[in-house]
Amino acid sequence: MRSLTKLPPEREAALSGLYAAATGAARRRTLAGFALMAVLAVLAGLVAEVRPLTFAENIGKFTAYIRQILPPVGLDHPVADLREWYWGLSGWLALLGETLLMAYLGTLLGGLAGFVLSFAASANLMRSRVLRLLTTRFLEVCRTVPDIVFALIFVIAFGLGPMVGVLAIAIHTTGALGKLFSEVVENIDMRPVEGLSAAGATWVETVRFAVLPQVLSNFASYGLLRFEINVRGAAVLGFVGAGGIGQEFLGAIRNFYYADVSAILVLIILTVFCIDLVTEQVRHRLIGPESLR
């Protein structure tokens, strides 16, 4: 084996100095970045009126409310206590089903709109810069305005009811999924697209045969993930009169029906939990095990 050649002392000292200077500069940049984040966090806390002492003094009120809404189920008569706790189970389940249907229909409509618009918003497919910018800005507006704001506007226009929730969820989902779908399209392999274009295929044919096979699994995965989010969002939209379990939940909170608050909250949590488990398994099957490694 050849022995390593030792550098001259002057050269070794020069390289060591350069290395120390480079690592020192990187360390200073890192520390400066952390310091900037800390300063911005303090400023944000001051502007947002975040008071740690006030939080510490009033945390007991939060825990007291949690104790008040604990389920009134004892060990002496657990079955009777459960029946009393879930006295309105049939009505709550009907409202919960309405919430799920709102989320499903809103996700479906928004997903279809986002699906169509995502191709026009993709830089690698849409040659018209004007059309692409208009589509991108439209999607930004749809996802920037909160769905609860859309629901308030639609309540004023159409009155109370689940249709308002469906419309609000659909518009917000259009913007969110349109953005995600367009990013998936922009990361495809362009060789099939170029091959079909060279063979004389139209833009629609190119999307159908060269793009869709590459993106459909990711589209479905993002759609399922958005459905999970929309189920939680649909429960909140009931607070503004958009139908579903949220309206009943808000009424229980306002009227201090503590047992009803905990019963409805547990139903919502269990529903979202089950949906998360199911959609997670479906997403994993769609994406494929190799992408999860």
Side-chain angles (χ1 to χ4, degrees), residues 100 105 121 130 143 159 234-235:
L100 293 175
L105 188 55
V130 174
R143 69 174 178 273

Side-chain angles (χ1 to χ4, degrees), residues 133-253:
L133 288 177
L134 289 175
T135 306
T136 304
R137 300 292 85 80
F138 174 75
L139 293 175
E140 287 176 356
V141 171
C142 290
R143 69 174 178 273
T144 300
V145 179
D147 49 6
I148 196 167
V149 175
F150 282 125
L152 285 170
I153 296 173
F154 290 138
V155 163
I156 297 173
F158 305 112
L160 304 177
M163 182 185 73
V164 169
V166 172
L167 293 175
I169 292 173
I171 293 177
H172 198 268
T173 299
T174 298
L177 287 183
K179 171 65 173 177
L180 294 174
F181 289 173
S182 65
E183 291 181 350
V184 173
V185 173
E186 288 178 349
N187 289 317
I188 63 172
D189 183 3
M190 290 298 294
R191 285 175 295 182
V193 175
E194 294 168 356
L196 281 178
S197 299
T202 64
W203 188 84
V204 174
E205 291 172 341
T206 302
V207 171
R208 166 64 182 86
F209 296 104
V211 179
L212 283 184
Q214 300 187 61
V215 300
L216 276 182
S217 61
N218 284 321
F219 277 16
S221 176
Y222 281 129
L224 290 170
L225 179 61
R226 191 67 207 180
F227 175 64
E228 298 175 19
I229 298 171
N230 286 342
V231 169
R232 296 186 284 268
V236 176
L237 291 181
F239 287 14
V240 297
I245 193 69
Q247 199 164 342
E248 183 74 13
F249 187 51
L250 181 62
I253 293 175

Side-chain angles (χ1 to χ4, degrees), residues 23 34-35 40 51 56 63 76 98 115 117 120 148 162 177 183 185-186 188 225 242 246 251-252 261 266 276 293:
T23 54
F34 282 123
L40 291 176
R51 303 186 183 95
T63 55
D76 297 332
E98 185 177 271
F115 173 84
L117 294 175
I148 196 167
L177 287 183
E183 291 181 350
V185 173
E186 288 178 349
I188 63 172
L225 179 61
V261 170
V266 169
D276 285 349
R293 294 174 183 172

